[in-house]
Amino acid sequence: MARNKGAAQGTPATAALAAAGVPFVLHPYTHDPAAASYGLEAAEVLGIDPSRVFKTLMVEVEGRLAVGIVPVSGTLDLKAFAAALGAKKAAMADPAAAQRRTGYVLGGISPLGQRLPSPTVLDTSALALDSLLVSGGRRGLDIELAPADLVRLTNAVTAPISSLASGRQ
């Protein structure tokens, strides 16, 4: 993977990767505002298997926000997510709260470079991949990096938190 290819398209996420010296590749694309799913749109436009493109979801767990990272080809299993953080239940976070906490807009929330870090859980399916894509910090920009680097930079735990379905989270 080329180091910092396309770093001119800087976001807090790319700045965090560059500061950590982590190799990454940017995948910009033209976002269609009518797209029903940001993640599936990215996979389709970039011609990448949806199982390698991951969505970043903000979740409320016992009054605090946390980050779930799952393949766009599946949905977040809220019960499994809560269990991964030692809680009983979880719910999708209020969109406005997610944007305030992360500093990113919906559809562009990256797990990297968030304004305030949150507990993070990455679906275990990522560990079987050489690289995966996550949002680069704005709509129309994905970042490709090694799953181990994503885990290290977000202090993520890994757990089976996705279920394959056609959901639109």
Side-chain angles (χ1 to χ4, degrees), residues 58-67 81 85 91-94 96-102 117-120:
M58 296 302 294
V59 182
E60 186 175 333
V61 180
E62 297 179 349
R64 63 189 172 125
L65 291 183
V67 178
F81 182 83
L85 293 177
M92 295 307 297
D94 173 70
Q99 291 180 119
R100 279 192 308 275
R101 174 85 183 189
T102 64
S118 300
T120 301

Short mmCIF file of all heavy atoms in Angstrom, two decimals, residues 58-67 81 85 91-94 96-102 117-120:
data_model
loop_
_atom_site.label_atom_id
_atom_site.label_comp_id
_atom_site.label_asym_id
_atom_site.label_seq_id
_atom_site.Cartn_x
_atom_site.Cartn_y
_atom_site.Cartn_z
N MET A 58 -22.36 5.35 14.95
CA MET A 58 -22.31 5.83 16.33
C MET A 58 -23.49 5.23 17.08
O MET A 58 -24.63 5.28 16.61
CB MET A 58 -22.35 7.36 16.37
CG MET A 58 -21.15 8.03 15.72
SD MET A 58 -19.54 7.56 16.42
CE MET A 58 -19.67 8.23 18.07
N VAL A 59 -23.17 4.67 18.24
CA VAL A 59 -24.14 3.92 19.02
C VAL A 59 -24.13 4.44 20.45
O VAL A 59 -23.08 4.77 20.99
CB VAL A 59 -23.77 2.42 19.00
CG1 VAL A 59 -24.79 1.59 19.76
CG2 VAL A 59 -23.63 1.92 17.57
N GLU A 60 -25.31 4.51 21.06
CA GLU A 60 -25.40 4.89 22.47
C GLU A 60 -25.46 3.63 23.31
O GLU A 60 -26.30 2.76 23.09
CB GLU A 60 -26.62 5.76 22.73
CG GLU A 60 -26.63 6.28 24.15
CD GLU A 60 -27.76 7.24 24.43
OE1 GLU A 60 -28.23 7.91 23.48
OE2 GLU A 60 -28.18 7.32 25.58
N VAL A 61 -24.53 3.52 24.26
CA VAL A 61 -24.46 2.38 25.15
C VAL A 61 -24.43 2.91 26.58
O VAL A 61 -23.47 3.59 26.96
CB VAL A 61 -23.19 1.53 24.89
CG1 VAL A 61 -23.13 0.34 25.83
CG2 VAL A 61 -23.13 1.07 23.44
N GLU A 62 -25.50 2.65 27.31
CA GLU A 62 -25.59 3.08 28.71
C GLU A 62 -25.21 4.55 28.90
O GLU A 62 -24.40 4.91 29.74
CB GLU A 62 -24.75 2.17 29.59
CG GLU A 62 -25.25 0.73 29.57
CD GLU A 62 -24.45 -0.24 30.42
OE1 GLU A 62 -23.36 0.10 30.89
OE2 GLU A 62 -24.94 -1.37 30.57
N GLY A 63 -25.79 5.40 28.04
CA GLY A 63 -25.60 6.84 28.18
C GLY A 63 -24.33 7.41 27.60
O GLY A 63 -24.08 8.60 27.70
N ARG A 64 -23.50 6.58 26.98
CA ARG A 64 -22.28 7.09 26.36
C ARG A 64 -22.23 6.67 24.90
O ARG A 64 -22.83 5.66 24.51
CB ARG A 64 -21.03 6.61 27.11
CG ARG A 64 -20.84 5.13 27.08
CD ARG A 64 -19.72 4.65 28.00
NE ARG A 64 -19.75 3.19 28.04
CZ ARG A 64 -18.73 2.43 27.75
NH1 ARG A 64 -17.58 2.94 27.42
NH2 ARG A 64 -18.85 1.12 27.79
N LEU A 65 -21.51 7.44 24.10
CA LEU A 65 -21.42 7.10 22.68
C LEU A 65 -20.23 6.19 22.43
O LEU A 65 -19.19 6.30 23.08
CB LEU A 65 -21.29 8.37 21.83
CG LEU A 65 -22.54 9.25 21.79
CD1 LEU A 65 -22.31 10.44 20.87
CD2 LEU A 65 -23.75 8.47 21.34
N ALA A 66 -20.42 5.29 21.48
CA ALA A 66 -19.39 4.34 21.08
C ALA A 66 -19.46 4.19 19.56
O ALA A 66 -20.42 4.61 18.93
CB ALA A 66 -19.59 2.99 21.78
N VAL A 67 -18.41 3.61 19.00
CA VAL A 67 -18.29 3.47 17.55
C VAL A 67 -18.35 1.99 17.17
O VAL A 67 -17.61 1.17 17.72
CB VAL A 67 -16.93 4.05 17.07
CG1 VAL A 67 -16.76 3.86 15.57
CG2 VAL A 67 -16.80 5.51 17.46
N PHE A 81 -23.11 -5.85 19.89
CA PHE A 81 -22.29 -4.66 20.10
C PHE A 81 -22.25 -4.31 21.59
O PHE A 81 -21.19 -4.06 22.16
CB PHE A 81 -22.82 -3.49 19.28
CG PHE A 81 -22.01 -2.24 19.41
CD1 PHE A 81 -20.87 -2.06 18.65
CD2 PHE A 81 -22.38 -1.24 20.30
CE1 PHE A 81 -20.11 -0.91 18.78
CE2 PHE A 81 -21.62 -0.09 20.44
CZ PHE A 81 -20.48 0.08 19.68
N LEU A 85 -18.99 -4.48 24.63
CA LEU A 85 -18.57 -3.41 25.53
C LEU A 85 -19.01 -3.67 26.97
O LEU A 85 -18.95 -2.78 27.82
CB LEU A 85 -19.11 -2.07 25.04
CG LEU A 85 -18.52 -1.58 23.72
CD1 LEU A 85 -19.17 -0.28 23.28
CD2 LEU A 85 -17.01 -1.41 23.83
N ALA A 91 -28.36 1.30 21.43
CA ALA A 91 -29.29 1.87 20.44
C ALA A 91 -28.49 2.80 19.54
O ALA A 91 -27.46 3.34 19.94
CB ALA A 91 -30.41 2.64 21.14
N MET A 92 -28.98 2.98 18.33
CA MET A 92 -28.31 3.90 17.43
C MET A 92 -28.32 5.30 18.05
O MET A 92 -29.32 5.71 18.64
CB MET A 92 -29.00 3.92 16.06
CG MET A 92 -28.90 2.58 15.31
SD MET A 92 -27.21 1.94 15.13
CE MET A 92 -26.47 3.22 14.14
N ALA A 93 -27.22 6.01 17.93
CA ALA A 93 -27.09 7.34 18.52
C ALA A 93 -27.91 8.36 17.74
O ALA A 93 -28.17 8.19 16.54
CB ALA A 93 -25.62 7.76 18.52
N ASP A 94 -28.29 9.41 18.42
CA ASP A 94 -28.94 10.53 17.78
C ASP A 94 -27.97 11.11 16.74
O ASP A 94 -26.80 11.34 17.06
CB ASP A 94 -29.28 11.59 18.84
CG ASP A 94 -29.80 12.85 18.21
OD1 ASP A 94 -30.92 12.84 17.68
OD2 ASP A 94 -29.07 13.87 18.26
N ALA A 96 -27.52 14.05 15.45
CA ALA A 96 -26.90 15.32 15.82
C ALA A 96 -25.81 15.10 16.87
O ALA A 96 -24.74 15.72 16.82
CB ALA A 96 -27.95 16.30 16.33
N ALA A 97 -26.07 14.20 17.82
CA ALA A 97 -25.07 13.89 18.85
C ALA A 97 -23.84 13.23 18.22
O ALA A 97 -22.70 13.52 18.60
CB ALA A 97 -25.66 12.99 19.93
N ALA A 98 -24.07 12.36 17.24
CA ALA A 98 -22.96 11.70 16.55
C ALA A 98 -22.08 12.72 15.83
O ALA A 98 -20.85 12.65 15.88
CB ALA A 98 -23.50 10.67 15.56
N GLN A 99 -22.72 13.68 15.17
CA GLN A 99 -21.96 14.71 14.44
C GLN A 99 -21.18 15.60 15.40
O GLN A 99 -20.02 15.93 15.16
CB GLN A 99 -22.90 15.53 13.56
CG GLN A 99 -23.44 14.72 12.39
CD GLN A 99 -24.36 15.51 11.50
OE1 GLN A 99 -24.07 15.65 10.32
NE2 GLN A 99 -25.46 16.01 12.02
N ARG A 100 -21.81 15.99 16.52
CA ARG A 100 -21.11 16.82 17.51
C ARG A 100 -19.92 16.08 18.10
O ARG A 100 -18.84 16.64 18.25
CB ARG A 100 -22.05 17.23 18.65
CG ARG A 100 -22.95 18.40 18.35
CD ARG A 100 -23.64 18.92 19.60
NE ARG A 100 -24.33 17.90 20.36
CZ ARG A 100 -25.58 17.48 20.12
NH1 ARG A 100 -26.27 18.00 19.13
NH2 ARG A 100 -26.14 16.56 20.88
N ARG A 101 -20.11 14.82 18.44
CA ARG A 101 -19.06 14.04 19.10
C ARG A 101 -17.86 13.81 18.18
O ARG A 101 -16.71 13.88 18.59
CB ARG A 101 -19.64 12.69 19.55
CG ARG A 101 -18.66 11.71 20.12
CD ARG A 101 -18.46 11.96 21.57
NE ARG A 101 -17.47 11.05 22.12
CZ ARG A 101 -17.25 10.96 23.40
NH1 ARG A 101 -17.94 11.68 24.26
NH2 ARG A 101 -16.33 10.15 23.84
N THR A 102 -18.16 13.53 16.92
CA THR A 102 -17.08 13.15 16.00
C THR A 102 -16.48 14.33 15.25
O THR A 102 -15.32 14.26 14.82
CB THR A 102 -17.60 12.15 14.95
OG1 THR A 102 -18.60 12.78 14.14
CG2 THR A 102 -18.14 10.89 15.60
N PRO A 117 -12.55 10.93 21.12
CA PRO A 117 -12.51 9.49 20.90
C PRO A 117 -13.60 8.78 21.71
O PRO A 117 -14.00 9.24 22.77
CB PRO A 117 -11.12 9.08 21.36
CG PRO A 117 -10.52 10.26 22.03
CD PRO A 117 -11.37 11.45 21.75
N SER A 118 -14.08 7.69 21.18
CA SER A 118 -15.12 6.89 21.81
C SER A 118 -14.69 5.43 21.81
O SER A 118 -13.91 5.02 20.95
CB SER A 118 -16.44 7.01 21.03
OG SER A 118 -16.88 8.34 20.98
N PRO A 119 -15.22 4.63 22.75
CA PRO A 119 -14.94 3.18 22.69
C PRO A 119 -15.33 2.67 21.31
O PRO A 119 -16.38 3.07 20.77
CB PRO A 119 -15.83 2.61 23.78
CG PRO A 119 -16.13 3.75 24.70
CD PRO A 119 -16.11 4.98 23.84
N THR A 120 -14.52 1.82 20.73
CA THR A 120 -14.71 1.37 19.36
C THR A 120 -14.69 -0.15 19.28
O THR A 120 -13.85 -0.79 19.89
CB THR A 120 -13.61 1.97 18.45
OG1 THR A 120 -13.68 3.40 18.54
CG2 THR A 120 -13.76 1.54 17.02
#
